[in-house]
Coordinates of all heavy atoms in Angstrom, one line a residue:
S70 N 4.2 11.0 -26.9 CA 4.5 10.5 -25.5 C 5.9 10.7 -25.2 O 6.8 10.7 -26.1 CB 4.1 9.0 -25.4 OG 5.0 8.2 -26.2
A75 N 10.6 9.6 -15.0 CA 11.1 9.5 -13.7 C 10.0 9.7 -12.7 O 9.5 10.9 -12.7 CB 12.3 10.3 -13.4
A86 N 12.4 14.6 -26.6 CA 13.4 15.2 -27.4 C 13.5 16.7 -27.1 O 12.6 17.5 -27.1 CB 13.1 15.0 -28.9
R107 N -7.5 4.7 10.4 CA -8.0 5.0 9.1 C -8.3 3.8 8.3 O -7.4 2.9 8.2 CB -7.0 5.9 8.4 CG -7.5 6.3 6.9 CD -6.3 7.0 6.3 NE -6.6 7.5 4.9 CZ -5.8 7.9 4.0 NH1 -4.5 7.9 4.3 NH2 -6.2 8.3 2.8
L149 N 17.9 12.7 -28.3 CA 16.8 12.0 -27.6 C 17.4 11.5 -26.4 O 18.6 11.0 -26.3 CB 16.3 10.9 -28.5 CG 15.4 11.2 -29.7 CD1 15.2 10.1 -30.6 CD2 14.2 12.0 -29.3
P208 N 36.9 17.1 -23.7 CA 38.0 18.0 -23.8 C 38.0 18.9 -25.1 O 37.8 18.4 -26.2 CB 39.2 17.1 -23.7 CG 38.7 15.9 -23.0 CD 37.3 15.8 -23.5
T227 N 9.7 28.6 -7.6 CA 10.9 28.8 -6.8 C 11.4 30.3 -7.0 O 11.2 30.8 -8.1 CB 12.1 27.9 -7.2 OG1 13.2 28.3 -6.4 CG2 12.4 28.0 -8.7
D242 N 42.3 12.9 -20.7 CA 42.0 11.5 -20.8 C 40.6 11.2 -20.4 O 40.1 10.0 -20.4 CB 42.9 10.8 -19.8 CG 42.8 11.3 -18.4 OD1 42.3 12.4 -18.2 OD2 43.3 10.6 -17.4
V254 N 27.4 24.7 -1.6 CA 28.7 24.6 -2.3 C 28.6 25.0 -3.8 O 29.6 25.6 -4.3 CB 29.2 23.2 -2.3 CG1 30.6 23.0 -3.0 CG2 29.4 22.8 -0.8
G349 N -11.0 7.6 -13.6 CA -11.6 7.8 -12.3 C -10.8 7.2 -11.2 O -9.6 7.3 -11.2
A361 N 2.5 -20.7 -8.3 CA 3.3 -20.4 -9.5 C 3.6 -18.9 -9.6 O 4.2 -18.5 -10.6 CB 2.6 -20.8 -10.7
G408 N -11.1 -7.3 -15.2 CA -12.4 -6.8 -15.5 C -13.1 -6.3 -14.3 O -12.6 -5.9 -13.3
M417 N -18.3 -3.0 -4.6 CA -16.8 -3.0 -4.5 C -16.4 -4.3 -3.9 O -17.1 -5.0 -3.1 CB -16.3 -1.9 -3.5 CG -16.9 -1.9 -2.1 SD -16.4 -0.6 -1.1 CE -14.7 -1.1 -0.7
V446 N -26.7 -19.4 -7.9 CA -26.6 -20.5 -6.8 C -26.9 -20.0 -5.4 O -27.8 -20.4 -4.8 CB -25.3 -21.2 -6.9 CG1 -25.3 -22.3 -5.8 CG2 -25.1 -21.9 -8.2
A538 N -22.3 -18.9 17.2 CA -21.9 -18.8 18.6 C -22.7 -17.8 19.3 O -23.0 -17.8 20.5 CB -20.4 -18.4 18.7
D572 N -18.7 -2.4 17.1 CA -17.8 -3.6 17.0 C -17.7 -4.0 15.5 O -18.7 -4.3 14.9 CB -18.5 -4.8 17.8 CG -18.9 -4.3 19.2 OD1 -18.0 -4.2 20.0 OD2 -20.1 -4.1 19.4
F587 N -10.1 -14.1 13.6 CA -10.5 -12.8 13.0 C -9.9 -11.8 13.9 O -9.5 -12.0 15.1 CB -12.0 -12.7 13.0 CG -12.7 -13.0 14.3 CD1 -13.0 -12.1 15.3 CD2 -13.2 -14.3 14.5 CE1 -13.6 -12.4 16.5 CE2 -13.9 -14.7 15.7 CZ -14.1 -13.7 16.7
F674 N 6.7 3.3 21.9 CA 5.7 4.0 21.1 C 6.4 5.2 20.4 O 7.2 6.0 21.1 CB 4.6 4.5 22.0 CG 3.5 5.2 21.3 CD1 2.6 4.6 20.5 CD2 3.3 6.6 21.6 CE1 1.5 5.3 19.9 CE2 2.3 7.3 21.0 CZ 1.4 6.6 20.1
D683 N 1.1 4.7 16.1 CA 1.9 3.7 15.4 C 1.1 2.6 14.9 O -0.1 2.3 15.3 CB 3.0 3.1 16.4 CG 4.1 4.1 16.5 OD1 4.2 5.1 15.9 OD2 5.0 3.6 17.4
A690 N -0.8 -16.3 21.4 CA -0.4 -17.7 21.6 C -1.6 -18.6 21.2 O -2.8 -18.1 21.3 CB 0.0 -17.9 23.1
P797 N 15.8 -18.0 9.3 CA 16.2 -16.8 10.0 C 17.5 -16.9 10.7 O 17.8 -18.0 11.2 CB 15.0 -16.6 11.0 CG 13.9 -17.3 10.5 CD 14.5 -18.6 9.7

Side-chain angles (χ1 to χ4, degrees):
S70 67
R107 179 187 183 192
L149 291 172
T227 174
D242 59 343
V254 177
M417 63 180 283
V446 178
D572 311 282
F587 52 89
F674 183 70
D683 281 354

